[in-house]
Amino acid sequence: MIENKRLKNIIFSFLSIVFWVGVWHLLSLRIDKSLLLPSPKETLEVFIELAKTSDFWMITLSSVENIFLGIVAGTAIGIIISALSYISPVFRHLFSPLLSLVKSVPVASIIILMLVWIGKDFVPFAISVMMVTPIVSSNLYEGFINIRGDLKEVTKVYAIPFKKRWTLLYRHSIMPYLLSALKSALGLGWKAGIAAEVLCTPDNSIGLKLYESKIYMETPYVFAWTLTLVILSLILEKVVIHIGEILLGGKRK
């Protein structure tokens, strides 16, 4: 049953992609101007052309390294903050205004301020950390406070060791919250990191290439680099969710 459902989801996802690529193709034929809307075929040709160069892989790996490390660091900080907030109300009240401020301030404003404070090369990493941390901490804190009180009392009464208590109680209670947070935080952290690259234009970055393509009116290259970002985002989502599952010691059913 599960395998059939998974197969159906894959088929429907594939058909949806085919449909929207078809719409894109028809629109490009209608407009008939590559400067405004290159066709899927032209975009794919440019993407393949880029992928054949060593610079493409160096630039891609550089961007992935900076932003992915920021996402991982933001996740780790969010986990620590949520755990400390659960343990100590004082800590929760101390950090709550700061996390709310980060979530409410426009990303562009934070990027500009960081560009002034720390320099362009470090901004994408820092922005990814700042975007991911509040999402992970708030979601995971909800997981902690929703742990059943009677189960916690049982573990205390029977003096169950922490390692076993973590496996039996905390892991299964907070896993759905963490995985949900990772899915949300990954997309936001990735997009914010790329936005920071476009605004800050650090060397050897996808954001710099997007900016240059826009300046020189090379729309097919903008689409090709955007296609690269979409592919990387899908890969990173699988990687981050898998890491989250490993850290928690199991997969959500």
Side-chain angles (χ1 to χ4, degrees), residues 196-208:
E197 288 189 346
V198 173
L199 288 176
C200 302
T201 61
D203 297 333
N204 296 323
S205 67
I206 294 176
L208 174 61

Side-chain angles (χ1 to χ4, degrees), residues 87-109:
I87 295 171
S88 170
V90 174
F91 188 90
R92 181 175 72 253
H93 290 300
L94 180 65
F95 272 82
S96 180
L98 179 60
L99 295 176
S100 298
L101 179 65
V102 171
K103 287 191 288 186
S104 59
V105 174
V107 176
S109 298

Side-chain angles (χ1 to χ4, degrees), residues 3-238:
E3 291 298 326
N4 290 337
K5 186 177 180 180
R6 186 174 300 173
L7 180 60
K8 287 181 180 179
N9 288 335
I10 293 173
I11 292 173
F12 283 132
S13 297
F14 175 76
L15 292 177
S16 297
I17 293 172
V18 171
F19 172 79
W20 288 111
V21 170
V23 172
W24 174 12
H25 176 68
L26 292 175
L27 286 174
S28 66
L29 291 177
R30 176 73 175 176
I31 296 173
D32 197 25
K33 288 185 180 178
S34 178
L35 180 63
L36 297 178
L37 184 64
S39 68
K41 180 175 180 293
E42 185 177 4
T43 300
L44 184 60
E45 288 174 349
V46 173
F47 174 79
I48 294 173
E49 175 190 330
L50 289 172
K52 291 179 179 179
T53 65
S54 58
D55 286 345
F56 171 84
W57 295 104
M58 181 180 66
I59 291 167
T60 299
L61 289 174
S62 177
S63 288
V64 169
E65 179 183 10
N66 286 334
I67 299 174
F68 181 72
L69 288 177
I71 292 171
V72 173
T75 300
I77 295 171
I79 291 173
I80 293 171
I81 290 177
S82 65
L84 292 176
S85 298
Y86 175 67
I87 295 171
S88 170
V90 174
F91 188 90
R92 181 175 72 253
H93 290 300
L94 180 65
F95 272 82
S96 180
L98 179 60
L99 295 176
S100 298
L101 179 65
V102 171
K103 287 191 288 186
S104 59
V105 174
V107 176
S109 298
I110 300 177
I111 292 173
I112 292 171
L113 288 173
M114 290 222 167
L115 182 58
V116 174
W117 293 337
I118 62 178
K120 65 180 184 179
D121 291 332
F122 192 67
V123 171
F125 170 84
I127 286 294
S128 298
V129 172
M130 292 186 67
M131 293 300 104
V132 169
T133 299
I135 297 175
V136 173
S137 63
S138 60
N139 276 266
L140 201 55
Y141 177 72
E142 288 295 320
F144 277 119
I145 64 176
N146 283 312
I147 296 173
R148 287 173 54 185
D150 56 342
L151 293 180
K152 288 191 289 185
E153 289 300 324
V154 169
T155 59
K156 290 180 181 178
V157 170
Y158 289 97
I160 296 176
F162 176 78
K163 184 176 181 180
K164 193 170 183 179
R165 191 163 69 244
W166 167 260
T167 302
L168 296 175
L169 181 61
Y170 291 101
R171 192 187 73 189
H172 295 294
S173 298
I174 68 176
M175 180 182 294
Y177 292 91
L178 179 59
L179 295 182
S180 176
L182 287 174
K183 289 179 181 179
S184 301
L186 174 64
L188 181 59
W190 179 248
K191 288 186 287 187
I194 294 299
E197 288 189 346
V198 173
L199 288 176
C200 302
T201 61
D203 297 333
N204 296 323
S205 67
I206 294 176
L208 174 61
K209 291 302 178 181
L210 283 170
Y211 179 79
E212 290 177 344
S213 299
K214 183 205 73 170
I215 291 295
Y216 296 113
M217 305 293 286
E218 297 175 329
T219 310
Y221 282 86
V222 174
F223 273 68
W225 282 111
T226 303
L227 176 61
T228 303
L229 293 175
V230 171
I231 294 172
L232 291 173
S233 179
L234 294 173
I235 294 173
L236 287 177
E237 180 179 354
K238 297 296 183 183

